[in-house]
Amino acid sequence: MGRQPCCDKVGLKRGTWTAEEDRKLIDFILTNKRHCCWRTVPKLAGLLRCGKSCRLRWINYLRPDLKRGMISDSDEKIIIDLHSKLGNRWSKIAAQLPGRTDNEIKNHWNTYIKKKLKKMGVDPDTHHTLVSTAMTDQKQKEVEQEDEQQQVKKEEMDIIEAVEEILLDDFNDQELKMISAPSSSALFSVKKPADISSVDRWLEDSGCSLWGMEYSG
DNA sequence: AAGACCGCCAACCGCTGGAAC
DNA sequence: AGTTCCAGCGGTTGGCGGTCT
């Protein structure tokens, strides 16, 4: 018995979201602050979309705590540094940059940073300096050693993350509010972005507190 | 002016891990 | 232990606007 698709795709709308659809989705989330499963959201919200599409739209575009606009040079440096340690783990990287989504960072990496690094003579995949001549055996060994060290570092990071998760499980919500990093946005009041979009304004007018996120002007 | 080409990025797809039963 | 479902993740696609010829 195979797994059922996430939704019945027949008759569902695809492609770019309209302002009306955005409004319906936001409206639904506003009036249903208790998180139910995404599968039921389009049906209840009156949308001809699959739940997955709704979730993605919310996470990548409609969430009120999203930062809009260019990624700064300092953020870019953080992304490059984290990518050298974590690889293509965009969600982990995004977690260190509040207000940025994994999709946004992934797109930025693929369109800007990759080219930038190549221009600077750095391989964006390995973060090693690109050499025009063939590597000597000694150099090859060095690179392999470096790769090994990176792998060990990566594994250490995984262990640290796992331990952090276990430790955090032992705190209650109140304690978490006091100790959590700002990246855990669901637990924090979100500052209003400088360039307030129409959706942001509408959310603000509605005095919204979305699924655990307070929206403070 | 218009068709071809290119780059950006929103959205989709397929897969995985974990929870629930 | 096996099955089903869900959320989340990362790779990929395609629409659209801008630029080039």
Side-chain angles (χ1 to χ4, degrees):
Chain A
M1 193 190 288
R3 190 180 152 173
Q4 282 184 358
C6 74
C7 52
D8 178 13
K9 285 177 182 163
V10 181
L12 289 184
K13 199 167 172 278
R14 293 183 55 187
T16 314
W17 280 65
T18 63
E20 180 60 25
E21 286 177 311
D22 281 347
R23 200 177 178 85
K24 275 185 182 175
L25 181 57
I26 295 166
D27 202 21
F28 176 78
I29 293 172
L30 276 177
T31 51
N32 295 273
K33 289 164 190 147
R34 285 257 151 233
H35 194 341
C36 56
C37 69
W38 283 104
R39 196 178 196 178
T40 60
V41 167
K43 212 172 187 179
L44 298 171
L47 290 161
L48 289 170
R49 296 273 180 175
C50 87
K52 212 172 176 179
S53 180
C54 292
R55 184 188 147 267
L56 222 63
R57 183 65 180 167
W58 174 254
I59 288 171
N60 287 334
Y61 197 82
L62 298 176
R63 259 170 48 200
D65 60 327
L66 288 181
K67 256 190 213 167
R68 293 263 146 219
M70 291 291 287
I71 289 176
S72 66
D73 284 350
S74 56
D75 280 355
E76 216 168 66
K77 275 179 193 159
I78 294 170
I79 293 169
I80 294 167
D81 182 48
L82 289 170
H83 187 274
S84 72
K85 291 170 186 155
L86 302 169
N88 294 358
R89 294 162 79 182
W90 307 115
S91 60
K92 299 276 177 205
I93 296 172
Q96 303 302 316
L97 296 161
R100 300 291 183 188
T101 68
D102 53 352
N103 206 33
E104 193 178 9
I105 289 168
K106 180 173 60 182
N107 282 334
H108 191 75
W109 177 268
N110 286 328
T111 51
Y112 296 107
I113 301 178
K114 250 184 170 178
K115 286 174 199 166
K116 213 175 191 178
L117 288 177
K118 275 181 186 168
K119 229 177 183 178
M120 289 160 61
V122 177
D123 185 334
D125 296 324
T126 62
H127 293 264
H128 294 141
T129 309
L130 293 164
V131 285
S132 52
T133 52
M135 280 186 189
T136 60
D137 285 349
Q138 180 57 32
K139 183 78 188 166
Q140 179 71 33
K141 267 183 194 169
E142 283 174 21
V143 168
E144 279 170 12
Q145 272 177 2
E146 217 174 304
D147 281 343
E148 243 178 72
Q149 282 170 5
Q150 291 281 355
Q151 184 59 34
V152 170
K153 250 188 199 173
K154 219 169 173 178
E155 282 167 13
E156 282 173 356
M157 288 286 288
D158 285 340
I159 292 165
I160 290 166
E161 274 171 28
V163 170
E164 276 175 359
E165 272 170 34
I166 292 163
L167 288 173
L168 286 175
D169 281 344
D170 290 332
F171 291 99
N172 61 33
D173 281 356
Q174 195 55 41
E175 288 163 337
L176 269 175
K177 277 187 184 174
M178 297 185 326
I179 63 167
S180 292
S183 57
S184 51
S185 56
L187 297 166
F188 283 80
S189 283
V190 180
K191 282 263 176 288
K192 183 177 71 182
D195 54 331
I196 188 161
S197 68
S198 58
V199 170
D200 291 331
R201 197 170 295 117
W202 183 71
L203 284 165
E204 193 187 30
D205 291 345
S206 311
C208 85
S209 170
L210 299 176
W211 291 4
M213 278 179 271
E214 283 174 29
Y215 191 68
S216 57

